Amino acid sequence: MKKAKIFILEDDINLNETIAEFLEEEGYDTTSAFDGDEAEDLMYENSYDLYLLDVNVPGTNGFELLKKARENSDKVPAIFITSLNSMDDLEIGYKSGCDDYIRKPFELKELLFRVQTLLKREFLHVNDEKIKISKGIEYDMLTNELTVSGKTVRIQNKEALLLKLFIQKRGEIISHGVIYDTLWSYDEVSSDLALRTYVKNLRKILGKEKIVSIKKLGYKFTTE
């Protein structure tokens, strides 16, 4: 599988290198910048799957950098890394378009959990916005909107995560372990009963033949 590409903006050289080395050991590709102006150029010229952005850096600060990116329709998920801790700073961060926030000092393992959660939530490496599942049924990967015969059908959050995973790996056998890791974050307890319920609900909407149970292995999903 293609490695997720993570962009790191952090002006503390030692911390930047520590984060990059840790994430690369966990199987990610990383690119680093040490000031906001350099970061802005790299983010404009390249594509990434996740941004890790320090706030107080030389040049354009992290808040302004992400705000500019969002104004240019950049939807890459972003985590702010900062020592700022006031509610005002937190509000500014979320208003500028971040998806998560981690305060210094932090454990690298906690950062990893947050990275994994955002990456599995978004699946932004799937280029198609609207996926045709079958005649009259489409799923919009950006808005999480499932439409059947032109009408929007509401599905639960974890059902949406499962459907995104199915679409991402359509035609492949997806193991139960991969599904559990995708649907449940590190602080949640996975449930085989819940998974069967989500599959059953999606089958009712999409058609039973679209989601095939592979005994003792997992599931396989097909689209047109």
Side-chain angles (χ1 to χ4, degrees):
M1 181 183 291
K2 181 182 175 182
K3 291 183 179 180
K5 297 170 64 176
I6 299 177
F7 179 77
I8 305 166
L9 169 61
E10 169 58 64
D11 65 331
D12 182 322
I13 295 175
N14 290 332
L15 179 57
N16 194 317
E17 291 178 347
T18 297
I19 293 172
E21 290 174 5
F22 173 75
L23 291 175
E24 286 172 3
E25 288 175 358
E26 294 294 329
Y28 300 102
D29 283 336
T30 66
T31 299
S32 292
F34 302 92
D35 67 71
D37 297 332
E38 177 190 12
E40 188 171 4
D41 290 339
L42 287 169
M43 289 165 63
Y44 179 78
E45 295 168 359
N46 303 279
S47 62
Y48 301 99
D49 297 297
L50 180 73
Y51 298 141
L52 298 178
L53 305 176
D54 189 13
V55 175
N56 288 329
V57 294
T60 306
N61 69 47
F63 289 152
E64 287 300 318
L65 181 66
L66 186 60
K67 184 179 178 182
K68 287 182 182 179
R70 295 297 189 239
E71 289 172 350
N72 289 319
S73 300
D74 186 337
K75 295 182 174 66
V76 173
I79 300 173
F80 278 131
I81 301 173
T82 181
S83 56
L84 301 175
N85 57 18
S86 74
M87 286 304 297
D88 288 343
D89 292 323
L90 191 65
E91 182 179 8
I92 292 170
Y94 281 110
K95 283 185 175 180
S96 67
C98 80
D99 299 270
D100 203 355
Y101 219 98
I102 188 167
R103 294 189 178 94
K104 300 175 183 178
F106 54 84
E107 295 287 337
L108 289 172
K109 195 72 173 178
E110 180 185 356
L111 178 63
L112 178 63
F113 289 147
R114 294 174 184 268
V115 166
Q116 290 173 333
T117 298
L118 274 185
L119 285 175
K120 74 185 183 183
R121 183 188 304 167
E122 296 300 328
F123 299 116
L124 289 177
H125 53 282
V126 177
N127 295 323
D128 299 324
E129 291 184 11
K130 288 189 177 181
I131 305 296
K132 183 178 180 181
I133 295 173
S134 61
K135 186 176 180 179
I137 301 179
E138 289 186 340
Y139 186 71
D140 191 312
M141 299 291 283
L142 295 182
T143 65
N144 294 329
E145 188 173 86
L146 179 64
T147 56
V148 179
S149 300
K151 295 181 179 179
T152 301
V153 176
R154 295 183 62 83
I155 57 176
Q156 295 182 29
N157 180 55
K158 281 188 166 48
E159 290 170 355
L161 287 175
L162 181 58
L163 180 54
K164 282 185 174 182
L165 179 64
F166 282 153
I167 290 171
Q168 181 203 19
K169 295 181 175 294
R170 53 191 180 274
E172 302 177 26
I173 296 175
I174 311 170
S175 71
H176 293 103
V178 168
I179 295 174
Y180 292 147
D181 288 344
T182 300
L183 267 61
W184 286 275
S185 59
Y186 69 96
D187 58 350
E188 295 179 316
V189 178
S190 60
S191 166
D192 184 58
L193 178 60
L195 174 57
R196 289 199 298 268
T197 300
Y198 301 146
V199 169
K200 180 180 178 181
N201 291 342
L202 288 176
R203 279 174 169 164
K204 287 180 180 178
I205 300 168
L206 309 177
K208 186 175 181 180
E209 73 283 356
K210 291 295 177 186
I211 306 173
V212 180
S213 298
I214 309 297
K215 190 174 182 180
K216 296 183 179 180
L217 294 177
Y219 295 93
K220 185 176 180 181
F221 181 73
T222 60
T223 60
E224 287 190 354

